[in-house]
Amino acid sequence: ISFFPISGSWNVIRADGGSERNCSAIPPYLPSTVVNTTLRLQALREAMSSVNVSAYIIPGTDAHLSEYIAPRDARMAFMTGFTGSAGTAVVTLNKAVLWTDSRYWVQAERQMDCNWELEKDVSISSIADWLIREVSDTDNIGFDPFLFSIQTYESYSYNLVPAKLMLKSIPDNLVDGVWTDRPLIPPDNLIRLPDRVVERTWQMKVEHIRTQMTDNPYKPTAVLLSALDETAWLFNLRGSDVPYNPFFYSYTLLTLNEIWLFVHKDRVTEDLKLYLNSTCFPLAHCVQLLEYEQVRVMLKNYMTTSGVKVWIGTEYTNYALYELITPEEKLLTSAYSPVLTTKAVKDETEQRILRDAHVRDAVAVIQLLMWLEKVVPEGKETEMTAAYYVNECRSKQKDSRGPSFETISASGPNAALAHYSPSNATSRKLTVDEMYLVDSGGQYLDGTTDITRTVHWGIPTDMQKEAFTRVLMGNIEISRTIFPSGTKGVNMEMLGRRALWEVGLNYGHGTGHGVGNYFGVHEWPVGFQGNNIPFREGMFTSIEPGYYKENDFGIRIEDVVVIVPAHTKYGHNYLTFETVSLVPYDRKLIDTSLMSPQQLQWLDNYYLTIRELMGDELDRQGLTEEKTWMLKHTVPFQSATASAAVSSLSLTLTALATALLHILL
């Protein structure tokens, strides 16, 4: 039994009371996984009073609106105790509430103390409605503008203004002021990519963006880069500030004749300063280094110059910078900056090395699947040990830089949770009686990978086989599609669902996302959603349909593909997808009777590619057993079907001949 104060009273935590809190019990029950937030809330409320706000909004993001955030940016987690990746906290002078989606309701009940209420929603309208009920129209609602996207700010304003509630921008984050042991910025120096993986120098990239500026009819004088991958790509630099993604804290203000890079300067080595020409001034290819925190001051000063116009991508520019770009005639917006749209199309070197990275990555996944086939029947392995094993296999491959995201290693009902990752509390033992899904990826100096395979080591049910086959059919239908250049992914996304829809099945996540070169594993703006840009030759995207039966099993098949020219009979400028993930699917789960001849032909061609590319790589690495496994699992389906038919016919004829002989005798 342990004791600590909750909301001014003492609470008893009993070791046998369950895994979720019960705040209605007397005394309230809290599991050992909760965090005591009493003192944190008290300090935050004092800070709120000092700046005259009655409510404070705490999003679960960073100043660059990143998918993965560094530990020092986990302000929502610090205040609430809840460590899920999605949510928003709101603190008033007498209440504290967390909003999150259904993936995290149980987790929140296990991690939050009774200071916090849980709202099972994520919409801004829900948060706004709550604020309207709790805050008077004479009170201010505080927020850190660095943690709000432009759209987020506008959505709050749209919902709050009719109730005469005002948002108050507070650039100095209030949580940071009470977070006494907030993690520091990693001391690691930034690195530049080696020449062998770079085709376009940073000077070439700068000039290409400047050309887009001069060609733009609205004549912007500067481009402001806010997303972390924008600056990293522009200068061919990488860092280690964010989990899984090789990014570093930075902004860039690029004009037609100057470059300002906002970064923690003490992490820029003398070699990098020379590489960036940072000692020259004020030539067009001299990168002027300014401290990361100076971005608002510099932008504000730039806006005082007459005749300037700043081009921003609204999807990744935070409100703290956006609110400085006034008046309106000094602002030019597009959904994505010219850097993001340019980066989406890989040059020849990037395409080649990203393909190479997927060959080496496939070795690691093949090693995992071969190992699991051997050891799962012994009954000793778990979701956690499988995740550890594939990460270890990747770490031994050339140019490995760690995983590209937390491995999803899920068996049975856990696999029905599309974004589940195992923990000590949830990890299941792997058995031959359940399906197993592994979604994993690696960072390599030359590329980023992401692949999902679903397998069964025992006897799958008819429903499992049909669902798997229909997911595979969806993957193939997109992969074999020929389409005009400039087609948007959202217009072909239904091809991944059609085979499932035909029998009343579906899945609730996206069908694919862009993939980078030693970058983010979810690289915008490429993909199959409505806000993705049209497909062009040289883009890489994942294709990942799935199906999830609640409390039973989950299926996902994910491959990374590159968009390449398609040779058509009459048309020109047509494209298709070429799969660069090189791991076979589980034959036991494929019902070929459901598939069309065209789908089977695509599958056989894909397996032939795996045999050619992986055979050479496995030979090169001296992995004889893995090559044997790969060859066994890539036997052509149509040839195998034909052979089976011939064998069946031969057996029938032999049986008839034997019977006839017995009759004659």
Side-chain angles (χ1 to χ4, degrees), residues 116-143:
W116 289 89
E117 300 173 22
L118 175 63
E119 288 284 342
K120 297 180 176 181
D121 198 340
V122 291
S123 65
I124 289 176
S125 60
S126 172
I127 300 173
D129 289 343
W130 186 90
L131 285 166
I132 291 170
R133 295 193 302 269
E134 297 291 332
V135 179
S136 72
D137 58 13
T138 60
D139 294 331
N140 291 315
I141 300 170
F143 74 102

Side-chain angles (χ1 to χ4, degrees), residues 305-316:
T305 307
S306 62
V308 301
K309 179 173 287 189
V310 178
W311 187 358
I312 65 168
T314 55
E315 288 287 331
Y316 288 99

Side-chain angles (χ1 to χ4, degrees), residues 60 72 198 227 233 273 342 347 352 369 468 525 606:
R72 64 182 278 104
V198 172
W233 177 86
K273 290 177 182 177
T342 301
D347 60 38
R352 174 179 54 79
L369 297 179
F468 181 92
Y606 173 54

Side-chain angles (χ1 to χ4, degrees), residues 427-504:
S427 180
R428 292 174 61 87
K429 183 174 289 187
L430 304 184
T431 77
V432 296
D433 299 319
E434 293 183 336
M435 296 184 77
Y436 172 70
L437 183 157
V438 56
D439 183 350
S440 65
Q443 291 286 10
Y444 301 89
L445 201 56
D446 49 356
T448 302
T449 67
D450 185 3
I451 183 172
T452 307
R453 291 294 182 261
T454 305
V455 298
H456 197 303
W457 300 291
I459 302 175
T461 66
D462 291 342
M463 197 275 177
Q464 289 173 334
K465 288 186 65 173
E466 179 176 3
F468 181 92
T469 304
R470 290 184 179 277
V471 171
L472 177 60
M473 290 162 66
N475 183 299
I476 292 174
E477 280 305 293
I478 294 180
S479 300
R480 61 185 291 269
T481 295
I482 294 173
F483 54 92
S485 178
T487 300
K488 295 195 72 172
V490 69
N491 295 329
M492 64 180 80
E493 195 260 3
M494 68 164 287
L495 295 174
R497 301 178 186 268
R498 184 170 61 183
L500 290 163
W501 287 353
E502 288 174 350
V503 291

Side-chain angles (χ1 to χ4, degrees), residues 537-548:
E537 180 184 350
M539 292 180 174
F540 283 75
T541 183
S542 71
I543 298 174
E544 48 181 300
Y547 170 69
Y548 309 89

Side-chain angles (χ1 to χ4, degrees), residues 146 188 216 301 323 348 390 431 455 471 509 562 584 649 663:
F146 281 101
D188 307 10
N216 191 297
N301 290 339
E323 67 180 348
E348 290 184 3
V390 73
T431 77
V455 298
V471 171
H509 56 72
V562 58
L649 179 60
I663 292 172

